[in-house]
Structures are given as structure tokens and as C-alpha cells.
Amino acid sequence: MYEQEKQEMIETALEMKRNNLIALAGGNVSLRMPNGDIIITPSGMSYEIMPPDDMIVFDKDKNIIEGTRKQSVDTPALFYIFDNMPEVNAILHTHQPYATAVGLVSDELPACLTTLANATRGAVTVAPYSPPGNLSMGQLTVDYIGDKLAVILKHHGVITVGKDLHEALYAAVYLETSSITYLSAAGVCEPALLTEEQNAECVAVWANVGQ
């Protein structure tokens, strides 16, 4: 069941790793299907050797209908995001170091680069601390993400969302590269930021990229 989608999820996780957004078996990838079924990567499995059958498939009532591996401890939080953000079909959870570092020194990664505006729709908010495996991770994501595609979880990592895996992945990668640039500039002086008009223009332009 859903073999192609499962393989795309594995490729997404490997791309997260290639971009240094996760280490070892960290983070997770989840995907909502058109019929309401949800696929989530299992707990503590290396993505390099993960076969598609290791994925856990839940029906719309949250019952496991496929998969025997241990489910991710973040499953309740991921369900909460899906339940409260009907426009979201893909969720990535990472522990990317530079975006997480921004969360230790600021309440927001401001709109400082065109790529950040492109991929996340602008400034990314830092949500309060939520322990791993706690429902509050999902609740705080919904409360703090606003109309953006990413939120930084203080002391923890990042959640990105999208209409598909591609959109969520681009949000995660460009959030990280923007965080690197922002922190580098902040070590010299107060970084220059995009205006609201410039940010809106970048968001609008990105809507037509790749189509």
C-alpha cells in the first residue's frame, strides 16, 4: 500500500540528512493521503536501510492498518497538526542546528533573505519549549506557525509543513541556509531585513517556480 509515496518519504528523509537537517535516525516524515490515511516514518530507524514496508500507515480514525515497527513518539503531535491544519498534507520534523540556534537567541528568524521568503513565506516564529514525544509539540506548532510553512521549536528543532513533501522540504532547507546567513551577519552588526513589500513579492514569485 502506498509504495510510491513511502519511497518518496524515504528520499525526503535522505535529502534532509544530506542537507544536515538531521543526524543518525533523528526527525520524522509524515504524509497525509487524499483519503485521509496518514503515513509516518517509524521510531529510531536508519533511513539509509529503511524499506518502504517499515512505514506505519494509519487510517483516518488513527488506527494502524499497515506496519509493524514502533511508531514515532511524535505521532500524537503530528496527528494534532494534521487535524488542525487541513491544508497541510506533509510534515517534516528536524533537529537542524542553525535554525535551532536562532531559537536560543531570538524569538524569530526575521525575513532577511529572498530564499526564506520564497520557501517559508517570510519570518519564522520561535515557539516555546516542547518536550520530545509530547502533544504540546503539535499544539505549539499550530499556535505559532501562523500563515508560514515553518516554526522553530525552542531547545528542540523545527517543524515544516506543506501541501506536499516538496514544499515542506524546501521550507526546511531554506530555513537552515537562511539561519546560517542570519547568524553570520548578526555576529558583525544588526542584519538588514526585507521590507513587507519585498517579502510579499518574493512569496508571489515563488508560487510560479517550477510550474
Side-chain angles (χ1 to χ4, degrees):
M1 185 185 297
Y2 305 128
E3 294 304 306
Q4 179 178 341
E5 290 84 358
K6 291 175 180 178
Q7 189 59 49
E8 290 173 357
M9 291 171 67
I10 293 172
E11 290 301 321
T12 297
L14 291 173
E15 194 65 33
M16 288 159 56
K17 202 163 189 179
R18 283 189 286 268
N19 284 274
N20 299 313
L21 307 184
I22 56 173
L24 300 175
N28 47 66
V29 179
S30 53
L31 183 65
R32 172 160 46 195
M33 305 306 298
N35 66 355
D37 289 353
I38 293 174
I39 313 169
I40 303 178
T41 51
S43 175
M45 298 289 297
S46 174
Y47 302 112
E48 286 84 355
I49 61 172
M50 181 185 294
D53 287 346
D54 277 348
M55 301 284 184
I56 313 297
V57 182
F58 302 83
D59 65 19
K60 58 183 176 56
D61 297 316
K62 315 298 191 300
N63 301 307
I64 295 177
I65 57 175
E66 188 173 281
T68 59
R69 296 291 187 181
K70 181 180 179 181
Q71 64 181 270
S72 170
V73 296
D74 294 326
T75 297
L78 299 171
F79 283 158
Y80 186 90
I81 297 170
F82 280 126
D83 287 343
N84 289 275
M85 301 185 72
E87 74 281 8
V88 166
N89 294 317
I91 304 171
L92 306 185
H93 174 43
T94 75
H95 301 138
Q96 51 200 84
Y98 287 96
T100 306
V102 171
L104 300 180
V105 298
S106 177
D107 293 328
E108 178 185 78
L109 175 64
C112 56
L113 295 179
T114 59
T115 48
L116 184 67
N118 288 157
T120 69
R121 301 176 182 164
V124 175
T125 301
V126 177
Y129 173 67
S130 56
N134 194 286
L135 178 63
S136 63
M137 185 176 84
Q139 295 169 327
L140 290 170
T141 294
V142 171
D143 289 345
Y144 280 82
I145 199 168
D147 61 351
K148 305 304 193 298
L149 298 179
V151 65
I152 299 170
L153 306 173
K154 197 176 187 71
H155 304 294
H156 188 164
V158 164
I159 290 281
T160 66
V161 301
K163 64 181 183 296
D164 52 31
L165 292 169
H166 180 271
E167 188 170 57
L169 179 62
Y170 268 63
V173 171
Y174 281 124
L175 171 59
E176 187 70 352
T177 58
S178 298
S179 296
I180 293 171
T181 302
Y182 177 77
L183 291 170
S184 299
V188 178
C189 64
E190 186 69 25
L193 305 179
L194 295 172
T195 65
E196 290 186 9
E197 292 77 13
Q198 290 169 334
N199 185 84
E201 182 180 19
C202 291
V203 173
V205 167
W206 188 252
N208 297 316
V209 171
Q211 298 183 24

